[in-house]
Amino acid sequence: MEDEKKLEEFQQKIDANIKIEPKDWMPEKYRQTLIRQISQHAHSEIIGMQPEGNWLTRAPSLRSKKILMAKIQDEAGHGLYLYCAAETLGVKREQFLEWLHEGKAKYSSVFNYPTLTWADMGAVGWLVDGAAIVNQVSLQGTSYGPYARAMVKICMEESFHQRQGFEIMVELAKGTKEQKQMAQDALNRWWWPSIMMFGPHDSESAHSNQSLKWKIKRASNDELRQSYIDKTIEQGHHLGLTFPDPNLKFNETTKHYDYSPIDWDEFWNVVKGNGAGNKLRLKHHIKAHEDGKWVREAAKSYAQKQNLIQKSA
Amino acid sequence: MDNDDQGILWEVFIQVKAGRPYKHIGSLHAYDKVMAMQSARDLYTRRNEGNGIWIVKADDIVSSESSDGEAFFDPSNDKVYRHPTFYKIPDGVKHI
């Protein structure tokens, strides 16, 4: 059969690390998986602007406000790179937004947690961006060309995000007793959600095997999670803060940190829409989109008018 | 979705330094040239990534088809004499 031959050739290309480009033949499931994954990634960048935007007007100094604005602008940019990469698979930008607004498309559940204090800007940058970077560094080697290229660009820009978050944590951790407590509280609340960002365990992850075979993913959820934990624990020791897990300890045999079982009920509860921020985040996005409608209309009719003037000139 | 859209798709090319070729960096949506240029600057050169930007409507790009790539590029395969290594030069001849 033609398709089986194509499928075999496709797998050979993947095995030889030849990137797949938009016009190349690809299995329908490969295309669908990428559409889901890249758009989910794009939505996460855009929705991820909200918990940080929450602190823009209350940043403690002009310096920190400028940095936070630059970071949020980066997130918008990352969302746009990713939407463009996803669009090369034959779905229009408008469609992605519609799926998001209808609740058909997901974004990372971590952004459904609230950012309660300024220390959360530190913890989000250090932990949430830190976890995202581990995932994104791995995805630079993904088999789909436009996605891989977007990831390379994102990774270059993202490293400042984690550093600015860590800097906030350092400042608070060496500050007053109250400030240190604030940093500890943020770490307590963000640690587990950041670990859950890597998704279900490999044994429970439905799409994982096929995605690894097609090199959409380059490492499994658990591998990435472990790499994140190992890195982050060491960083946390510099802060003099404790992680909210009594079973966290270095295992001499595996050379990795052991950790407590993850509360998956909590994870699925937030995925299913019952997190503190699910409704708020989506409502806010829909409102911003609707409020911007007149701008899009004005820009469009201005462009049409300019075209007419040009033609008649 | 009625008449509400995100504008047309444009492809963006950046020149990293004077004298270098323009390279594709990504795409964006905009309604007209001016908006496309401003967005390209904000989106792709926030960290001095370039000193020149080209933008072209994605629809205006003509590209080769990857499916017939082999046949399309075949004419260059049997003309090895286009490469300098094809020619035998006597020992001792320099700077050629």
Side-chain angles (χ1 to χ4, degrees):
Chain A
M1 233 175 77
E2 181 70 1
D3 256 16
E4 248 167 62
K5 192 169 163 275
K6 278 184 178 167
L7 197 60
E8 204 176 300
E9 284 170 3
F10 178 79
Q11 189 63 52
Q12 279 166 5
K13 266 173 92 173
I14 299 276
D15 293 343
N17 286 326
I18 296 170
K19 299 276 186 224
I20 308 300
E21 294 297 333
K23 284 180 150 189
D24 296 349
W25 183 87
M26 61 186 86
E28 192 49 29
K29 206 178 151 217
Y30 179 84
R31 183 186 298 276
Q32 292 306 327
T33 304
L34 280 169
I35 288 173
R36 193 189 67 233
Q37 182 173 327
I38 304 175
S39 67
Q40 186 171 322
H41 201 156
H43 295 324
S44 301
E45 298 280 357
I46 298 297
I47 296 287
M49 294 160 76
Q50 291 187 39
E52 297 186 320
N54 183 34
W55 281 93
L56 259 184
T57 56
R58 290 170 291 164
S61 67
L62 185 58
R63 178 185 185 268
S64 55
K65 182 183 284 206
K66 274 160 57 181
I67 292 171
L68 191 57
M69 286 222 292
K71 181 170 188 275
I72 294 171
Q73 193 188 15
D74 273 355
E75 310 293 6
H78 298 172
L80 296 181
Y81 306 156
L82 286 160
Y83 280 129
C84 284
E87 280 182 276
T88 62
L89 293 155
V91 178
K92 285 210 176 300
R93 176 82 57 92
E94 294 81 8
Q95 181 66 70
F96 286 124
L97 292 179
E98 199 173 270
W99 283 335
L100 176 69
H101 292 166
E102 287 170 349
K104 285 181 188 159
K106 299 240 180 284
Y107 53 88
S108 179
S109 275
V110 80
F111 299 117
N112 289 321
Y113 291 88
T115 43
L116 302 178
T117 72
W118 173 251
D120 288 31
M121 292 302 94
V124 166
W126 173 38
L127 301 173
V128 176
D129 285 312
I133 288 169
V134 169
N135 189 34
Q136 286 166 346
V137 165
S138 162
L139 283 172
Q140 290 181 108
T142 188
S143 58
Y144 188 56
Y147 193 24
R149 291 192 284 274
M151 278 301 120
V152 170
K153 192 150 173 53
I154 288 175
C155 284
M156 274 195 296
E157 300 185 354
E158 193 91 27
S159 58
F160 115 70
H161 296 188
Q162 197 190 10
R163 278 166 168 247
Q164 69 87 32
F166 195 73
E167 191 193 78
I168 293 174
M169 296 301 276
V170 171
E171 291 294 317
L172 291 171
K174 68 178 189 199
T176 63
K177 204 177 132 210
E178 287 79 10
Q179 286 173 327
K180 188 171 182 184
Q181 180 49 42
M182 205 195 252
Q184 182 63 58
D185 167 63
L187 170 54
N188 291 349
R189 282 182 290 108
W190 287 98
W191 177 242
W192 286 107
S194 74
I195 285 181
M196 292 180 199
M197 283 171 70
F198 296 93
H201 283 306
D202 297 347
S203 52
E204 310 286 326
S205 182
H207 309 289
S208 241
N209 277 344
Q210 186 61 68
S211 282
L212 284 169
K213 198 179 161 210
W214 279 336
K215 295 187 182 171
I216 294 174
K217 288 168 74 166
R218 302 308 310 267
S220 78
N221 293 357
D222 285 329
E223 285 164 356
L224 293 168
R225 181 170 14 243
Q226 189 67 58
S227 143
Y228 163 70
I229 290 173
D230 292 348
K231 256 187 256 228
T232 310
I233 300 299
E234 311 273 321
Q235 295 162 358
H237 290 157
H238 285 278
L239 294 171
L241 300 175
T242 53
F243 288 87
D245 180 356
N247 297 315
L248 209 54
K249 59 171 180 291
F250 192 72
N251 183 324
E252 286 296 340
T253 321
T254 61
K255 301 288 175 205
H256 292 296
Y257 278 89
D258 290 335
Y259 53 95
S260 298
I262 295 169
D263 181 0
W264 293 113
D265 289 343
E266 155 83 10
F267 175 77
W268 289 115
N269 193 39
V270 181
V271 171
K272 283 179 183 133
N274 303 319
N278 296 59
K279 289 194 180 67
L280 188 71
R281 299 283 184 246
L282 210 52
K283 204 174 123 191
H284 189 78
H285 192 281
I286 292 170
K287 184 178 184 301
H289 183 69
E290 283 170 358
D291 288 352
K293 191 173 177 182
W294 72 269
V295 180
R296 292 189 295 276
E297 280 172 0
K300 194 173 173 179
S301 66
Y302 179 77
Q304 283 164 347
K305 212 169 163 184
Q306 291 303 108
N307 276 342
L308 283 178
I309 292 170
Q310 246 178 8
K311 269 178 200 154
S312 63
Chain B
M1 275 188 285
D2 58 65
N3 198 25
D4 188 11
D5 62 41
Q6 302 275 313
I8 46 176
L9 190 64
W10 305 72
E11 298 298 337
V12 183
F13 300 77
I14 301 272
Q15 185 188 40
V16 177
K17 273 185 195 158
R20 295 276 184 83
Y22 281 74
K23 273 173 78 175
H24 183 245
I25 182 81
S27 11
L28 56 81
H29 283 254
Y31 295 93
D32 60 34
K33 291 178 194 174
V34 179
M35 187 183 174
M37 186 54 85
Q38 283 170 352
S39 297
R41 182 200 57 196
D42 292 345
L43 196 54
Y44 291 110
T45 59
R46 284 198 300 283
R47 291 176 175 82
N48 293 319
E49 287 94 334
N51 73 337
I53 301 177
W54 282 354
I55 300 170
V56 60
K57 284 180 192 164
D59 274 352
D60 288 343
I61 290 183
V62 184
S63 79
S64 59
E65 296 291 330
S66 60
S67 54
D68 53 33
E70 251 173 73
F72 187 70
F73 294 108
D74 185 50
S76 71
N77 283 342
D78 57 356
K79 294 180 183 64
V80 284
Y81 45 84
R82 279 177 173 154
H83 297 279
T85 46
F86 178 75
Y87 301 92
K88 280 189 195 118
I89 302 293
D91 290 346
V93 179
K94 287 176 184 170
H95 307 303
I96 185 163

mmCIF file of all heavy atoms in Angstrom, chain B residues 62-93:
data_model
loop_
_atom_site.group_PDB
_atom_site.id
_atom_site.type_symbol
_atom_site.label_atom_id
_atom_site.label_comp_id
_atom_site.label_asym_id
_atom_site.label_seq_id
_atom_site.Cartn_x
_atom_site.Cartn_y
_atom_site.Cartn_z
ATOM 1 N N VAL B 62 7.040 31.803 -3.912
ATOM 2 C CA VAL B 62 6.989 30.618 -4.769
ATOM 3 C C VAL B 62 8.048 29.666 -4.254
ATOM 4 O O VAL B 62 9.193 30.058 -4.055
ATOM 5 C CB VAL B 62 7.324 30.988 -6.232
ATOM 6 C CG1 VAL B 62 7.167 29.771 -7.122
ATOM 7 C CG2 VAL B 62 6.445 32.133 -6.705
ATOM 8 N N SER B 63 7.651 28.435 -3.971
ATOM 9 C CA SER B 63 8.648 27.508 -3.439
ATOM 10 C C SER B 63 8.609 26.176 -4.177
ATOM 11 O O SER B 63 7.587 25.811 -4.756
ATOM 12 C CB SER B 63 8.416 27.292 -1.931
ATOM 13 O OG SER B 63 7.370 26.392 -1.720
ATOM 14 N N SER B 64 9.728 25.480 -4.154
ATOM 15 C CA SER B 64 9.781 24.163 -4.788
ATOM 16 C C SER B 64 8.990 23.170 -3.945
ATOM 17 O O SER B 64 8.802 23.378 -2.753
ATOM 18 C CB SER B 64 11.233 23.709 -4.904
ATOM 19 O OG SER B 64 11.823 23.663 -3.620
ATOM 20 N N GLU B 65 8.543 22.117 -4.586
ATOM 21 C CA GLU B 65 7.782 21.090 -3.865
ATOM 22 C C GLU B 65 8.747 20.040 -3.342
ATOM 23 O O GLU B 65 9.564 19.533 -4.109
ATOM 24 C CB GLU B 65 6.775 20.424 -4.807
ATOM 25 C CG GLU B 65 5.691 21.349 -5.336
ATOM 26 C CD GLU B 65 4.713 21.768 -4.252
ATOM 27 O OE1 GLU B 65 4.491 20.984 -3.309
ATOM 28 O OE2 GLU B 65 4.184 22.892 -4.343
ATOM 29 N N SER B 66 8.622 19.706 -2.082
ATOM 30 C CA SER B 66 9.572 18.734 -1.551
ATOM 31 C C SER B 66 9.320 17.335 -2.105
ATOM 32 O O SER B 66 10.235 16.535 -2.205
ATOM 33 C CB SER B 66 9.498 18.707 -0.028
ATOM 34 O OG SER B 66 8.213 18.345 0.389
ATOM 35 N N SER B 67 8.065 17.072 -2.528
ATOM 36 C CA SER B 67 7.741 15.721 -2.995
ATOM 37 C C SER B 67 8.478 15.389 -4.297
ATOM 38 O O SER B 67 8.863 14.251 -4.523
ATOM 39 C CB SER B 67 6.232 15.575 -3.194
ATOM 40 O OG SER B 67 5.767 16.598 -4.038
ATOM 41 N N ASP B 68 8.674 16.398 -5.174
ATOM 42 C CA ASP B 68 9.410 16.090 -6.388
ATOM 43 C C ASP B 68 10.814 16.692 -6.341
ATOM 44 O O ASP B 68 11.411 17.003 -7.365
ATOM 45 C CB ASP B 68 8.646 16.547 -7.635
ATOM 46 C CG ASP B 68 8.233 18.008 -7.558
ATOM 47 O OD1 ASP B 68 8.980 18.806 -6.958
ATOM 48 O OD2 ASP B 68 7.172 18.352 -8.070
ATOM 49 N N GLY B 69 11.306 16.844 -5.150
ATOM 50 C CA GLY B 69 12.615 17.461 -4.955
ATOM 51 C C GLY B 69 13.723 16.756 -5.718
ATOM 52 O O GLY B 69 14.537 17.395 -6.387
ATOM 53 N N GLU B 70 13.740 15.448 -5.664
ATOM 54 C CA GLU B 70 14.819 14.697 -6.286
ATOM 55 C C GLU B 70 14.892 14.933 -7.792
ATOM 56 O O GLU B 70 15.942 15.245 -8.338
ATOM 57 C CB GLU B 70 14.623 13.205 -6.022
ATOM 58 C CG GLU B 70 15.641 12.655 -5.045
ATOM 59 C CD GLU B 70 15.318 11.227 -4.667
ATOM 60 O OE1 GLU B 70 15.519 10.356 -5.522
ATOM 61 O OE2 GLU B 70 14.851 11.004 -3.530
ATOM 62 N N ALA B 71 13.724 14.807 -8.431
ATOM 63 C CA ALA B 71 13.679 14.993 -9.876
ATOM 64 C C ALA B 71 13.999 16.434 -10.236
ATOM 65 O O ALA B 71 14.688 16.708 -11.211
ATOM 66 C CB ALA B 71 12.292 14.608 -10.388
ATOM 67 N N PHE B 72 13.510 17.340 -9.424
ATOM 68 C CA PHE B 72 13.682 18.765 -9.704
ATOM 69 C C PHE B 72 15.147 19.171 -9.674
ATOM 70 O O PHE B 72 15.600 19.965 -10.494
ATOM 71 C CB PHE B 72 12.871 19.560 -8.676
ATOM 72 C CG PHE B 72 12.824 21.035 -8.939
ATOM 73 C CD1 PHE B 72 12.098 21.539 -10.023
ATOM 74 C CD2 PHE B 72 13.482 21.921 -8.113
ATOM 75 C CE1 PHE B 72 12.045 22.901 -10.271
ATOM 76 C CE2 PHE B 72 13.444 23.285 -8.360
ATOM 77 C CZ PHE B 72 12.720 23.773 -9.440
ATOM 78 N N PHE B 73 15.869 18.623 -8.716
ATOM 79 C CA PHE B 73 17.275 19.013 -8.580
ATOM 80 C C PHE B 73 18.224 18.069 -9.319
ATOM 81 O O PHE B 73 19.434 18.239 -9.290
ATOM 82 C CB PHE B 73 17.660 19.107 -7.097
ATOM 83 C CG PHE B 73 16.942 20.218 -6.390
ATOM 84 C CD1 PHE B 73 15.928 19.964 -5.474
ATOM 85 C CD2 PHE B 73 17.265 21.538 -6.659
ATOM 86 C CE1 PHE B 73 15.258 20.994 -4.834
ATOM 87 C CE2 PHE B 73 16.598 22.583 -6.027
ATOM 88 C CZ PHE B 73 15.591 22.312 -5.128
ATOM 89 N N ASP B 74 17.647 17.084 -10.003
ATOM 90 C CA ASP B 74 18.429 16.080 -10.704
ATOM 91 C C ASP B 74 19.431 16.665 -11.703
ATOM 92 O O ASP B 74 20.568 16.190 -11.780
ATOM 93 C CB ASP B 74 17.483 15.092 -11.387
ATOM 94 C CG ASP B 74 18.236 13.965 -12.029
ATOM 95 O OD1 ASP B 74 19.080 13.394 -11.313
ATOM 96 O OD2 ASP B 74 18.021 13.682 -13.217
ATOM 97 N N PRO B 75 19.076 17.676 -12.498
ATOM 98 C CA PRO B 75 20.010 18.179 -13.523
ATOM 99 C C PRO B 75 21.385 18.547 -12.984
ATOM 100 O O PRO B 75 22.352 18.568 -13.744
ATOM 101 C CB PRO B 75 19.296 19.429 -14.052
ATOM 102 C CG PRO B 75 17.868 19.174 -13.800
ATOM 103 C CD PRO B 75 17.801 18.370 -12.538
ATOM 104 N N SER B 76 21.495 18.848 -11.697
ATOM 105 C CA SER B 76 22.804 19.248 -11.179
ATOM 106 C C SER B 76 23.670 18.048 -10.817
ATOM 107 O O SER B 76 24.868 18.178 -10.622
ATOM 108 C CB SER B 76 22.634 20.165 -9.968
ATOM 109 O OG SER B 76 22.172 19.426 -8.873
ATOM 110 N N ASN B 77 23.051 16.858 -10.782
ATOM 111 C CA ASN B 77 23.795 15.683 -10.314
ATOM 112 C C ASN B 77 24.850 15.189 -11.297
ATOM 113 O O ASN B 77 25.884 14.688 -10.907
ATOM 114 C CB ASN B 77 22.832 14.523 -10.018
ATOM 115 C CG ASN B 77 22.130 14.751 -8.705
ATOM 116 O OD1 ASN B 77 22.582 15.558 -7.903
ATOM 117 N ND2 ASN B 77 21.029 14.051 -8.491
ATOM 118 N N ASP B 78 24.551 15.294 -12.611
ATOM 119 C CA ASP B 78 25.462 14.683 -13.582
ATOM 120 C C ASP B 78 26.434 15.704 -14.177
ATOM 121 O O ASP B 78 26.968 15.510 -15.255
ATOM 122 C CB ASP B 78 24.650 13.983 -14.684
ATOM 123 C CG ASP B 78 23.701 14.953 -15.367
ATOM 124 O OD1 ASP B 78 23.639 16.127 -14.930
ATOM 125 O OD2 ASP B 78 23.029 14.544 -16.335
ATOM 126 N N LYS B 79 26.634 16.789 -13.489
ATOM 127 C CA LYS B 79 27.555 17.806 -14.021
ATOM 128 C C LYS B 79 28.681 18.059 -13.025
ATOM 129 O O LYS B 79 28.849 19.157 -12.495
ATOM 130 C CB LYS B 79 26.797 19.086 -14.323
ATOM 131 C CG LYS B 79 25.787 18.908 -15.454
ATOM 132 C CD LYS B 79 25.033 20.180 -15.746
ATOM 133 C CE LYS B 79 23.988 19.939 -16.839
ATOM 134 N NZ LYS B 79 22.934 18.979 -16.408
ATOM 135 N N VAL B 80 29.427 16.977 -12.788
ATOM 136 C CA VAL B 80 30.490 17.065 -11.791
ATOM 137 C C VAL B 80 31.566 18.060 -12.183
ATOM 138 O O VAL B 80 32.307 18.559 -11.347
ATOM 139 C CB VAL B 80 31.143 15.685 -11.530
ATOM 140 C CG1 VAL B 80 30.252 14.827 -10.679
ATOM 141 C CG2 VAL B 80 31.475 15.002 -12.847
ATOM 142 N N TYR B 81 31.648 18.357 -13.508
ATOM 143 C CA TYR B 81 32.684 19.290 -13.974
ATOM 144 C C TYR B 81 32.436 20.717 -13.512
ATOM 145 O O TYR B 81 33.218 21.612 -13.785
ATOM 146 C CB TYR B 81 32.800 19.229 -15.500
ATOM 147 C CG TYR B 81 31.461 19.230 -16.216
ATOM 148 C CD1 TYR B 81 30.808 20.422 -16.484
ATOM 149 C CD2 TYR B 81 30.863 18.034 -16.593
ATOM 150 C CE1 TYR B 81 29.583 20.415 -17.126
ATOM 151 C CE2 TYR B 81 29.644 18.017 -17.239
ATOM 152 C CZ TYR B 81 28.993 19.212 -17.500
ATOM 153 O OH TYR B 81 27.793 19.219 -18.114
ATOM 154 N N ARG B 82 31.321 20.921 -12.796
ATOM 155 C CA ARG B 82 31.075 22.243 -12.227
ATOM 156 C C ARG B 82 31.846 22.450 -10.923
ATOM 157 O O ARG B 82 31.859 23.542 -10.382
ATOM 158 C CB ARG B 82 29.586 22.425 -11.949
ATOM 159 C CG ARG B 82 28.799 22.803 -13.182
ATOM 160 C CD ARG B 82 27.342 22.904 -12.890
ATOM 161 N NE ARG B 82 26.611 23.418 -14.042
ATOM 162 C CZ ARG B 82 25.339 23.178 -14.279
ATOM 163 N NH1 ARG B 82 24.656 22.441 -13.421
ATOM 164 N NH2 ARG B 82 24.746 23.680 -15.331
ATOM 165 N N HIS B 83 32.411 21.347 -10.415
ATOM 166 C CA HIS B 83 33.134 21.457 -9.139
ATOM 167 C C HIS B 83 34.642 21.503 -9.382
ATOM 168 O O HIS B 83 35.148 20.784 -10.265
ATOM 169 C CB HIS B 83 32.775 20.271 -8.236
ATOM 170 C CG HIS B 83 31.327 20.257 -7.867
ATOM 171 N ND1 HIS B 83 30.816 21.037 -6.867
ATOM 172 C CD2 HIS B 83 30.268 19.590 -8.398
ATOM 173 C CE1 HIS B 83 29.511 20.837 -6.778
ATOM 174 N NE2 HIS B 83 29.145 19.972 -7.699
ATOM 175 N N PRO B 84 35.345 22.317 -8.622
ATOM 176 C CA PRO B 84 36.796 22.458 -8.849
ATOM 177 C C PRO B 84 37.555 21.145 -8.687
ATOM 178 O O PRO B 84 38.592 20.942 -9.315
ATOM 179 C CB PRO B 84 37.224 23.486 -7.798
ATOM 180 C CG PRO B 84 36.112 23.575 -6.827
ATOM 181 C CD PRO B 84 34.866 23.182 -7.546
ATOM 182 N N THR B 85 37.038 20.245 -7.854
ATOM 183 C CA THR B 85 37.746 18.989 -7.590
ATOM 184 C C THR B 85 37.762 18.072 -8.807
ATOM 185 O O THR B 85 38.464 17.063 -8.826
ATOM 186 C CB THR B 85 37.067 18.242 -6.435
ATOM 187 O OG1 THR B 85 35.661 18.264 -6.657
ATOM 188 C CG2 THR B 85 37.377 18.894 -5.093
ATOM 189 N N PHE B 86 36.965 18.409 -9.847
ATOM 190 C CA PHE B 86 36.896 17.584 -11.057
ATOM 191 C C PHE B 86 38.198 17.643 -11.856
ATOM 192 O O PHE B 86 38.562 16.738 -12.584
ATOM 193 C CB PHE B 86 35.723 18.070 -11.911
ATOM 194 C CG PHE B 86 35.553 17.348 -13.212
ATOM 195 C CD1 PHE B 86 35.016 16.067 -13.255
ATOM 196 C CD2 PHE B 86 35.962 17.931 -14.413
ATOM 197 C CE1 PHE B 86 34.854 15.403 -14.447
ATOM 198 C CE2 PHE B 86 35.813 17.267 -15.616
ATOM 199 C CZ PHE B 86 35.251 15.999 -15.632
ATOM 200 N N TYR B 87 38.917 18.724 -11.715
ATOM 201 C CA TYR B 87 40.064 18.987 -12.585
ATOM 202 C C TYR B 87 41.399 18.542 -11.984
ATOM 203 O O TYR B 87 41.617 18.713 -10.781
ATOM 204 C CB TYR B 87 40.107 20.479 -12.929
ATOM 205 C CG TYR B 87 38.820 20.893 -13.619
ATOM 206 C CD1 TYR B 87 37.750 21.381 -12.889
ATOM 207 C CD2 TYR B 87 38.671 20.716 -14.989
ATOM 208 C CE1 TYR B 87 36.558 21.709 -13.503
ATOM 209 C CE2 TYR B 87 37.474 21.031 -15.617
ATOM 210 C CZ TYR B 87 36.419 21.523 -14.872
ATOM 211 O OH TYR B 87 35.243 21.813 -15.487
ATOM 212 N N LYS B 88 42.237 17.963 -12.837
ATOM 213 C CA LYS B 88 43.567 17.518 -12.400
ATOM 214 C C LYS B 88 44.568 18.630 -12.667
ATOM 215 O O LYS B 88 44.688 19.098 -13.806
ATOM 216 C CB LYS B 88 43.978 16.257 -13.153
ATOM 217 C CG LYS B 88 43.339 15.005 -12.591
ATOM 218 C CD LYS B 88 43.955 13.770 -13.238
ATOM 219 C CE LYS B 88 43.066 12.575 -12.938
ATOM 220 N NZ LYS B 88 42.518 11.969 -14.181
ATOM 221 N N ILE B 89 45.259 19.010 -11.645
ATOM 222 C CA ILE B 89 46.269 20.068 -11.792
ATOM 223 C C ILE B 89 47.631 19.451 -11.479
ATOM 224 O O ILE B 89 47.762 18.728 -10.479
ATOM 225 C CB ILE B 89 45.980 21.223 -10.790
ATOM 226 C CG1 ILE B 89 44.564 21.808 -11.014
ATOM 227 C CG2 ILE B 89 47.038 22.322 -10.884
ATOM 228 C CD1 ILE B 89 44.391 22.534 -12.342
ATOM 229 N N PRO B 90 48.631 19.690 -12.312
ATOM 230 C CA PRO B 90 49.958 19.073 -12.049
ATOM 231 C C PRO B 90 50.513 19.463 -10.678
ATOM 232 O O PRO B 90 50.226 20.564 -10.194
ATOM 233 C CB PRO B 90 50.856 19.664 -13.166
ATOM 234 C CG PRO B 90 49.928 20.228 -14.170
ATOM 235 C CD PRO B 90 48.636 20.530 -13.509
ATOM 236 N N ASP B 91 51.295 18.573 -10.089
ATOM 237 C CA ASP B 91 51.911 18.854 -8.809
ATOM 238 C C ASP B 91 52.771 20.120 -8.895
ATOM 239 O O ASP B 91 53.416 20.353 -9.926
ATOM 240 C CB ASP B 91 52.807 17.683 -8.365
ATOM 241 C CG ASP B 91 51.967 16.467 -8.002
ATOM 242 O OD1 ASP B 91 50.729 16.659 -7.843
ATOM 243 O OD2 ASP B 91 52.515 15.361 -7.901
ATOM 244 N N GLY B 92 52.800 20.867 -7.853
ATOM 245 C CA GLY B 92 53.682 22.017 -7.825
ATOM 246 C C GLY B 92 53.033 23.305 -8.279
ATOM 247 O O GLY B 92 53.572 24.384 -8.082
ATOM 248 N N VAL B 93 51.867 23.213 -8.930
ATOM 249 C CA VAL B 93 51.173 24.435 -9.342
ATOM 250 C C VAL B 93 50.417 25.005 -8.136
ATOM 251 O O VAL B 93 49.689 24.289 -7.478
ATOM 252 C CB VAL B 93 50.187 24.158 -10.495
ATOM 253 C CG1 VAL B 93 49.449 25.426 -10.899
ATOM 254 C CG2 VAL B 93 50.942 23.584 -11.679
#
